[in-house]
Amino acid sequence: MKRLFIFLLAGVGLIGCTQYAKARDGDFAVGVTGEMSSELLKGENNIMAYGGVELFANYKYKFGSRLFILPEVAIAQRWHRSNLYGDKVFSSLLPDDVRSISSVFALRPNFGVNIVNESDWSLGLTTGPEMDWIFAQSHKFRFTPKDNPQVHTDRRNEKKVQWGWNIGVLADIKMVRVGVNYKIHLGDMMDLGTFTTGKPGELRISVGYRF
């Protein structure tokens, strides 16, 4: 319930902000994004196999007819597929799932270039860095040892701050903004000290309303 309230509050705030910051050479958009990590797309069963949904707001400020910047902020929820240490299902555990839920604030100062720029629609390429801040993470312990239900399974935690680089395509069609984006992680996703956990990619598809 608390997360739902935060999402609703963020959505109202993002829409409200657009009414005070319109400019002649730019426009705002707010919308929803679905995201899937590369591990989830490959069918892996580990902590880096996650799907998510986010609320976003971005502002496209144009320099002439081709170049633009696209700063974007987003609040996302990630649902990780598995949270077992070692990502293995042991025969001594009951056959349920362990899931981890992460709440994320993302900042993306992207820039881009329009390859098509008509009067009522445009198509462009975007790229730029990303900073993700994990401000909350909860674990659902659904793996229960058969012989000792009181024993907790080990768990993995995401790094509080994660960095990435985005490559994407952006289309403005009348009052709609559609984007397809792929994020490359620039560091390990999990916080395990000296252990290397890998750098998953992330596919995002977004739809928003332009103001």
Side-chain angles (χ1 to χ4, degrees), residues 189-200:
M189 183 180 184
M190 310 311 298
D191 189 9
L192 291 178
T194 59
F195 292 96
T196 300
T197 60
K199 306 172 181 64

Side-chain angles (χ1 to χ4, degrees), residues 33-44 46-54 76-81 108 166 180-185 189 199-206:
T33 300
E35 57 186 31
M36 293 178 289
S37 70
S38 56
E39 271 70 10
L40 185 63
L41 291 171
K42 292 184 294 186
E44 299 290 339
N46 57 53
I47 187 63
M48 291 182 290
Y50 64 85
V53 62
E54 69 178 37
Q77 290 264 271
R78 294 175 182 166
W79 290 272
H80 297 265
R81 186 167 182 177
R108 304 167 186 141
N166 294 302
V180 178
N181 184 273
Y182 191 80
K183 182 183 73 173
I184 303 169
H185 273 266
M189 183 180 184
K199 306 172 181 64
E202 181 181 303
L203 176 67
R204 289 192 293 257
I205 300 175
S206 61

Side-chain angles (χ1 to χ4, degrees), residues 22 24 40 42 48 59 63 65-66 78-79 84 94 113-114 125 132 136 140-141 153 166 168-169 172 178 190 205:
K22 292 181 179 179
R24 178 182 299 176
L40 185 63
K42 292 184 294 186
M48 291 182 290
Y59 179 69
F63 298 92
S65 62
R66 295 292 181 183
R78 294 175 182 166
W79 290 272
L84 270 182
L94 297 177
V113 57
N114 281 326
L125 304 176
D132 290 350
K140 303 296 184 181
F141 291 105
T153 58
N166 294 302
V169 177
D172 287 340
V178 180
M190 310 311 298
I205 300 175

Side-chain angles (χ1 to χ4, degrees), residues 6-96:
I6 293 175
F7 265 76
L8 291 175
L9 183 63
V12 172
L14 292 176
I15 294 173
C17 288
T18 62
Q19 305 306 309
Y20 292 94
K22 292 181 179 179
R24 178 182 299 176
D25 296 320
D27 56 79
F28 273 90
V30 296
V32 179
T33 300
E35 57 186 31
M36 293 178 289
S37 70
S38 56
E39 271 70 10
L40 185 63
L41 291 171
K42 292 184 294 186
E44 299 290 339
N45 187 30
N46 57 53
I47 187 63
M48 291 182 290
Y50 64 85
V53 62
E54 69 178 37
L55 298 176
F56 75 86
N58 58 33
Y59 179 69
K60 186 179 182 180
Y61 186 88
K62 295 173 285 186
F63 298 92
S65 62
R66 295 292 181 183
L67 301 179
F68 61 89
I69 58 174
L70 189 77
E72 179 174 279
V73 295
I75 297 178
Q77 290 264 271
R78 294 175 182 166
W79 290 272
H80 297 265
R81 186 167 182 177
S82 171
N83 199 40
L84 270 182
Y85 184 80
D87 306 317
K88 296 179 180 178
V89 179
F90 297 97
S91 60
S92 61
L93 302 176
L94 297 177
D96 293 318

